[in-house]
Amino acid sequence: AQRVTQPEKLLSVFKGAPVELKCNYSYSGSPELFWYVQYSRQRLQLLLRHISRESIKGFTADLNKGETSFHLKKPFAQEEDSAMYYCALRGNFGNEKLTFGTGTRLTIIP
Amino acid sequence: EPEVTQTPSHQVTQMGQEVILRCVPISNHLYFYWYRQILGQKVEFLVSFYNNEISEKSEIFDDQFSVERPDGSNFTLKIRSTKLEDSAMYFCASSGMGDQPQHFGDGTRLSIL
């Protein structure tokens, strides 16, 4: 069975400090990992996917197959980063369902 | 940028009534999904739909649920006889061919009284 674990429900970080949102997964094959963000009262938006290996809004995430992790990082937090962040997994056959973690609410303290 | 649109944004229904949630996926997308999020819980997969048929469904998607693509643009989720526990945020998503990511709508908040 596939599972995504986000151990922190809430995370508060001072503006300018580094941010790390943890995500671990369980999947028998080679999954695709995503980070989605949900700003207040808005839709789920794709932030990152591991195959793109790009940085969006200063965020990066590296897939670590040995540790089965896909942690989201940003070196310097900004107030506009306050949001709900969801890690999600998709199987390796393309258009499969997404399995989400429980989400982490990130609050940036000014 | 094209978006997935969902209507209504909020639906209040009496227990036992039928409800239809509507979605307009992005126009050139071929894969369609419904997810739900009960308050305080994680986003859960309900069903995926491709080529006019269900490609996968979860254990949540029982006989009370059905999906339809009645025309070339709409994708609907019907709950035949709603229960209190159906109260949740329902998200529609769509994706294109290959390994394209899923794009989500704003969601419909369903409240069962």
Side-chain angles (χ1 to χ4, degrees):
Chain A
Q2 54 198 51
R3 186 163 57 229
V4 176
T5 303
Q6 292 180 252
E8 304 136 331
K9 278 193 136 174
L10 303 169
L11 182 64
S12 295
V13 172
F14 283 101
K15 179 181 170 182
V19 175
E20 184 178 43
L21 302 174
K22 291 186 167 46
C23 172
N24 287 88
Y25 67 90
S26 172
Y27 185 75
S28 56
S30 295
E32 187 174 5
L33 274 294
F34 302 82
W35 277 99
Y36 280 84
V37 60
Q38 188 175 36
Y39 300 104
S40 180
R41 300 176 189 273
Q42 294 186 26
R43 66 185 61 205
L44 285 162
Q45 300 175 36
L46 178 66
L47 182 63
L48 285 177
R49 55 191 301 201
H50 89 267
I51 63 172
S52 299
R53 302 185 68 81
E54 58 190 346
S55 172
I56 305 292
K57 300 184 180 184
F59 285 98
T60 59
D62 290 317
L63 182 63
N64 185 322
K65 292 184 179 180
E67 296 182 359
T68 58
S69 68
F70 189 57
H71 302 328
L72 184 67
K73 299 177 184 179
K74 184 169 182 176
F76 308 104
Q78 297 170 286
E79 287 185 63
E80 55 264 34
D81 295 330
S82 292
M84 195 74 179
Y85 291 81
Y86 293 96
C87 183
L89 173 156
R90 183 169 74 177
N92 53 6
F93 290 104
N95 306 95
E96 294 185 27
K97 66 184 179 191
L98 288 168
T99 297
F100 285 86
T102 48
T104 298
R105 181 169 298 283
L106 176 65
T107 301
I108 305 303
I109 305 165
Chain B
E1 187 177 328
E3 291 183 340
V4 176
T5 57
Q6 289 185 244
T7 54
S9 56
H10 191 191
Q11 173 79 45
V12 182
T13 302
Q14 291 286 335
M15 186 172 61
Q17 295 297 304
E18 174 183 286
V19 66
I20 297 175
L21 309 182
R22 302 181 193 280
C23 169
V24 179
I26 293 172
S27 63
N28 60 349
H29 283 184
L30 299 174
Y31 296 85
F32 315 114
Y33 310 83
W34 283 102
Y35 295 83
R36 79 170 186 192
Q37 185 177 30
I38 295 171
L39 187 63
Q41 298 185 25
K42 66 179 177 181
V43 177
E44 300 174 289
F45 168 76
L46 291 178
V47 65
S48 58
F49 192 85
Y50 170 71
N51 200 25
N52 282 320
E53 58 184 30
I54 290 173
S55 41
E56 187 178 0
K57 59 183 180 180
S58 71
E59 62 274 8
I60 303 167
F61 193 88
D62 61 22
D63 292 345
Q64 293 300 311
F65 290 87
S66 62
V67 289
E68 196 176 34
R69 188 154 163 81
D71 52 42
S73 59
N74 289 283
F75 178 52
T76 61
L77 174 69
K78 183 195 290 186
I79 308 175
R80 240 178 297 280
S81 177
T82 49
K83 303 189 279 284
L84 292 175
E85 53 265 37
D86 293 328
S87 295
M89 194 76 164
Y90 287 80
F91 293 103
C92 176
S94 68
S95 65
M97 286 295 293
D99 63 354
Q100 295 301 303
Q102 293 177 27
H103 295 263
F104 284 79
D106 283 331
T108 294
R109 183 171 299 284
L110 178 62
S111 300
I112 307 301
L113 305 179

